[in-house]
Amino acid sequence: MTKTGVKITYLWGSLEEGEFRGALLKFPPGVSAALSSKANTLHAVLIKGKIAYQTKSSLKALKPGSYFGSNGLHAHQLSFNDDDESFIYVRSDGEFDIILNPKP
């Protein structure tokens, strides 16, 4: 478990810089966080739960099977449902961080 309360399981790859990796992230209910990519590519799929995904111009409701991604440095703003934990599969070719947003 990370200091953010998010659990991470690496499915393959290493933590070496520039290495491809796959990970399963488990977010506790009600968390608001940024999934910050430091990689050239990051792809994520929501496996379980409901999240609100903030784009530049709107808030999108994502349900299981929804996906998002980025090329280069990018912080994906996510707000998780209060009812249940959520699981996200992430594949990247480099580092990513999970940064909790402060509660209002």
Side-chain angles (χ1 to χ4, degrees):
M1 182 182 320
T2 66
K3 61 185 175 185
T4 63
V6 176
K7 293 181 180 177
I8 300 175
T9 299
Y10 288 95
L11 303 173
W12 78 82
S14 73
L15 299 179
E16 299 296 320
E17 188 173 332
E19 291 285 325
F20 279 103
R21 64 188 78 174
L24 188 61
L25 310 178
K26 180 180 176 182
F27 289 86
V31 168
S32 177
L35 177 58
S36 180
S37 172
K38 298 177 181 179
N40 288 330
T41 61
L42 180 135
H43 300 283
V45 178
L46 178 60
I47 304 297
K48 178 184 181 240
K50 295 178 185 174
I51 62 175
Y53 179 81
Q54 181 68 51
T55 67
K56 289 181 182 178
S57 59
S58 66
L59 196 61
K60 291 184 177 181
L62 302 182
K63 57 186 180 178
S66 299
Y67 58 91
F68 57 90
S70 58
N71 292 314
L73 299 175
H74 188 83
H76 301 274
Q77 295 296 327
L78 310 168
S79 297
F80 295 87
N81 187 306
D82 289 335
D83 297 333
D84 202 6
E85 60 199 13
S86 297
F87 291 85
I88 295 178
Y89 164 73
V90 175
R91 181 182 183 274
S92 71
D93 66 352
E95 291 183 56
F96 60 85
D97 289 326
I98 300 161
I99 303 160
L100 287 184
N101 297 326
K103 295 213 176 207

